[in-house]
Amino acid sequence: MAQQIVPNIWCNRTAEQAGGFYAAAFDAAGFDASAAVTARYPTEGLLDFQREFAGEALVVDVVIEGTQLALVNAGSEFSPNPSISFMVNFDPLFFGGDVDAARRGLDALWTKLSDGGAVMMPLGEYPFAAHYGWVQDRYGVSWQVMLTRAEGEPRPLIIPALMFDGPAQNRAAEAAARYVELFAGFPGGSQVGHQSPYGAATGDATADALAFGEFRIGEQWFMGSDNGSGTDHGFTNGVSLQVNCADQAAIDALWEGLSAVPEAEQCGWLVDEFGVSWQIVPAALGELMQRPGAYERLMQMKKIVIADL
């Protein structure tokens, strides 16, 4: 089944360069990874601020062991921040059960991602992991790399991790329940997974706020936790979640259930009640955009209406 929710990362004219960087970094860690331009800006019908991008790359898809991340090539309007990071789960099962090989792969990826980046939590041993680190790479994207216990329940290699702070502080559990409710009709269903509260007030997090939480939409897992650092980051369009919908009915239902900031609605983009940015699009968007004038019509829409593209 094609990936239904694709994290989109906003790049300041660096999508092609960043795609190559990520493909090489994960290749060094022992994973199958690639990057390719999958969409380009048209040469006509662009808005004024987009005209300088005519004919250039619009989307670069990075595929890591079958998991897709989309890099959006645009301007400096937005940038990623630690509010949405990517957990890279170094499960020894990915390395034939070899814990040492998993650790070597983690170290190799850390070396690549931290080159030119900023370390948020140094690579080392923590109460929750024998080997873990958090880094913001040279493009501003945050990664958490963790060696997981071989006896633990298997999880995907890459898991988007949402950190709730600012106006959404201490709402991680509420958000997980809301998303699971909204996506219950997705193929494979949805569920709330393991949740662990802080147990004591930590930074701006209350004792019952989530130090760790997870939820599943379809076949994809996500993490959701409350920020205990005391430093707010806030969700932005720097990282958005693109939902590939089967038909107009699915678009309509998710748009109705998620959109909470009317002024943020534009060409399929919306912001939910927690501040998270989503793109609600038809799964066949690439094909639909081949229609003459489709890009120009898309730019005039808020919610995407397939029949009008």
Side-chain angles (χ1 to χ4, degrees), residues 12 40 61 65 235:
N12 183 5
R40 291 189 175 275
D61 279 340
E65 293 290 340
F235 297 114

Side-chain angles (χ1 to χ4, degrees), residues 171-214:
R171 299 183 69 189
E174 178 189 352
R178 178 63 174 150
Y179 297 149
V180 164
E181 176 188 19
L182 282 172
F183 288 93
F186 250 45
S190 60
Q191 71 175 96
V192 173
H194 180 70
Q195 294 184 330
S196 296
Y198 278 96
T202 306
D204 292 329
T206 59
D208 58 353
L210 294 184
F212 172 84
E214 61 179 4

Side-chain angles (χ1 to χ4, degrees), residues 1-24:
M1 179 183 295
Q3 188 172 327
Q4 291 184 282
I5 301 180
V6 179
N8 276 224
I9 300 168
W10 191 283
C11 298
N12 183 5
R13 296 175 171 83
T14 59
E16 290 186 87
Q17 181 184 29
F21 173 76
Y22 296 133

Side-chain angles (χ1 to χ4, degrees), residues 84-110:
I84 298 184
S85 60
F86 297 95
M87 175 68 75
V88 186
N89 169 33
F90 278 83
D91 189 329
L93 292 176
F94 297 142
F95 296 84
D98 189 333
V99 176
D100 291 336
R103 180 182 285 262
R104 288 193 298 271
L106 186 157
D107 289 344
L109 181 62
W110 177 265

